Amino acid sequence: PRLSATTIVDVRVSLGLGGPRVFRRPLGGRATSRSLLPHRLRHPSSTKTSVAVASATCSGDGSQMNVSSSTGRALTIQSHVVSGYVGNKCAVFPLQLHGFDVDPILSVQFSNHTGYGCWKGEVMTGEQLQSLVEGLEQNGLLEGYTHLLTGYIGSASMLRTVARLVRKLRTYNPNLVYVCDPVLGDNGRLYVPAELTTIYREEIVPLATLLTPNQFEAELLTGMTIGSEEDALAACATLHQVGPPSVVLTSLDLDHSASSSSTITLLGSTSQPQAERCGQRFRIVVPRIPSYFTGTGDLCAALLLAWTAKMPDKLGRAAEMAVASLQGVLRRTAAAQAVAEAAGKSGIGCRELRLVNSVDELLHPKITEEVTWLE
């Protein structure tokens, strides 16, 4: 594309370091994380950012640059860390392994996740996201997306921009699959501003194709208390009425068995017709792995996107594969933690997910926990 005009605002030039660079003020927040099966990293509930802006008016058509691969092209909007694995660091690599072209947008960019003693970084605003969307659209680059994945979004302005983006993407591709991980909190505690619950319920959830809340988030979105499998299925039915045809509750503590304290339940429901011998409602019960993990909810949502793309009318089977992949990664991570501890190493850095070492688990998982149909 030709540049017909260029405007650069407050960009400092650093000679010998690759040309113009945009400098930003580092930011931070505070949060903690406790994780078993799918669980997201807690992020700061509020922060401010100051960012220099570079813009250009472009002419030309870049749509041919955005042609989908044989699997699809995914836009994923969630957090990013330079070191470690949460948010997009848990999503991009697995999706690429499964054949997706992946374009990440970073809702936050931190040095490391907030389970460490300190961190530095920035939080994206709704205005900055809108600027990126406009740049993509002006170059014809919004065409070709088959999937959208969203995770942690920390502000009302950005979440509403996401809603506008979903509608815009569907003007280019009415069949766009939107996998929404509504990151609100866990274990009875919010770690985003409370107003985001209403925005999710009224503006985001109706747009989702597949919704992947944990137990606490499902309760917030439905106003229901989930204490049993029947409650969970009723919550799924309520969410179906709002919009998403498919719902997977990724982390439930239920009273269906005496061993519930040592297991976690994933429960799914879809209103869409399913292939033969695949029910519309199902459960998968997995053992708790006694260790500390972060980013597992982010990884779970990405794996559900990948496997449902391969099995579009077999949600239960796709969830079975996603859970098997996730458990394989967690087992490999726990084994690496044990080796590190035996060598006298400790610290949260030893507990980062071993994604790069888990290619076989991500692509060819061994199913140890089978799906149970509830119909």
Side-chain angles (χ1 to χ4, degrees), residues 206-283:
L207 299 172
T209 309
L210 170 60
L211 192 71
T212 64
N214 61 30
Q215 183 170 347
F216 177 61
E217 290 159 350
E219 291 176 336
L220 289 173
L221 293 173
T222 61
M224 304 169 64
T225 299
I226 300 175
S228 67
E229 187 173 277
E230 291 72 21
D231 294 339
L233 290 171
C236 287
T238 298
L239 291 169
H240 288 323
Q241 292 173 0
V242 176
S246 297
V247 178
V248 175
L249 307 183
T250 58
S251 182
L252 296 169
D253 290 309
L254 301 178
D255 59 3
H256 67 272
S257 72
S259 60
S260 61
S261 62
S262 60
T263 61
I264 292 179
T265 298
L266 178 145
L267 186 142
S269 173
T270 181
S271 59
Q272 300 294 99
Q274 297 294 283
E276 187 177 358
R277 292 191 292 275
C278 290
Q280 291 181 302
R281 304 189 302 176
F282 59 90
R283 97 166 74 89

Side-chain angles (χ1 to χ4, degrees), residues 1-252:
R2 301 185 308 275
L3 293 181
S4 58
T6 302
T7 303
I8 300 177
V9 180
D10 192 25
V11 176
R12 307 177 197 172
V13 177
S14 178
L15 297 177
L17 295 176
R21 308 182 73 189
V22 177
F23 286 76
R24 301 175 176 87
R25 183 175 60 195
L27 298 163
R30 58 186 178 85
T32 59
S33 178
R34 181 188 64 83
S35 183
L36 292 167
L37 190 70
H39 180 80
R40 278 73 50 119
L41 179 68
R42 297 184 174 91
H43 294 280
S45 59
S46 63
T47 187
K48 297 181 180 178
T49 184
S50 174
V51 58
V53 178
S55 63
T57 302
C58 303
S59 62
D61 182 5
S63 60
Q64 296 304 312
M65 302 274 299
N66 206 24
V67 176
S68 298
S69 68
S70 59
T71 301
R73 190 174 194 94
L75 180 65
T76 171
I77 306 174
Q78 50 188 313
S79 59
H80 172 83
V81 290
V82 176
S83 178
Y85 291 93
V86 296
N88 269 325
K89 287 287 288 286
C90 288
V92 174
F93 178 61
L95 289 174
Q96 289 174 328
L97 284 179
H98 280 273
F100 281 88
D101 289 316
V102 185
D103 295 339
I105 292 178
L106 318 181
S107 62
V108 307
Q109 177 166 257
F110 286 168
S111 55
N112 45 267
H113 69 68
T114 57
Y116 286 81
C118 67
W119 61 92
K120 300 290 183 180
E122 307 159 350
V123 178
M124 177 176 280
T125 67
E127 292 76 14
Q128 291 162 2
L129 175 58
Q130 181 61 34
S131 178
L132 292 179
V133 172
E134 290 172 359
L136 291 170
E137 186 171 32
Q138 289 169 10
N139 286 288
L141 296 173
L142 289 184
E143 302 175 31
Y145 286 117
T146 59
H147 293 74
L148 172 66
L149 171 64
T150 61
Y152 173 79
I153 307 293
S155 71
S157 67
M158 188 167 180
L159 193 56
R160 289 196 166 102
T161 304
V162 168
R164 292 193 295 272
L165 174 60
V166 177
R167 290 190 289 268
K168 181 177 289 291
L169 288 174
R170 284 185 172 149
T171 66
Y172 294 104
N173 177 12
N175 297 316
L176 176 87
V177 174
Y178 174 26
V179 178
C180 174
D181 187 9
V183 181
L184 292 167
D186 203 3
N187 300 311
R189 177 175 177 240
L190 278 170
Y191 41 84
V192 297
E195 65 179 317
L196 266 62
T197 300
T198 300
I199 299 173
Y200 267 111
R201 186 187 301 122
E202 297 179 355
E203 302 180 39
I204 299 293
V205 172
L207 299 172
T209 309
L210 170 60
L211 192 71
T212 64
N214 61 30
Q215 183 170 347
F216 177 61
E217 290 159 350
E219 291 176 336
L220 289 173
L221 293 173
T222 61
M224 304 169 64
T225 299
I226 300 175
S228 67
E229 187 173 277
E230 291 72 21
D231 294 339
L233 290 171
C236 287
T238 298
L239 291 169
H240 288 323
Q241 292 173 0
V242 176
S246 297
V247 178
V248 175
L249 307 183
T250 58
S251 182
L252 296 169

Side-chain angles (χ1 to χ4, degrees), residues 295-365:
T296 50
D298 307 318
L299 176 57
C300 184
L303 290 169
L304 284 168
L305 187 159
W307 287 108
T308 54
K310 296 181 177 183
M311 304 177 179
D313 57 353
K314 301 178 181 179
L315 179 60
R317 293 299 180 195
E320 188 178 57
M321 296 296 283
V323 167
S325 290
L326 177 60
Q327 289 293 94
V329 173
L330 296 187
R331 284 191 291 267
R332 183 176 289 273
T333 301
Q337 291 175 10
V339 171
E341 291 172 359
K345 299 178 181 178
S346 61
I348 196 166
C350 297
R351 301 168 180 172
E352 297 283 5
L353 295 180
R354 299 310 197 267
L355 270 189
V356 176
N357 304 104
S358 302
V359 172
D360 287 343
E361 288 84 352
L362 293 169
L363 288 176
H364 309 290

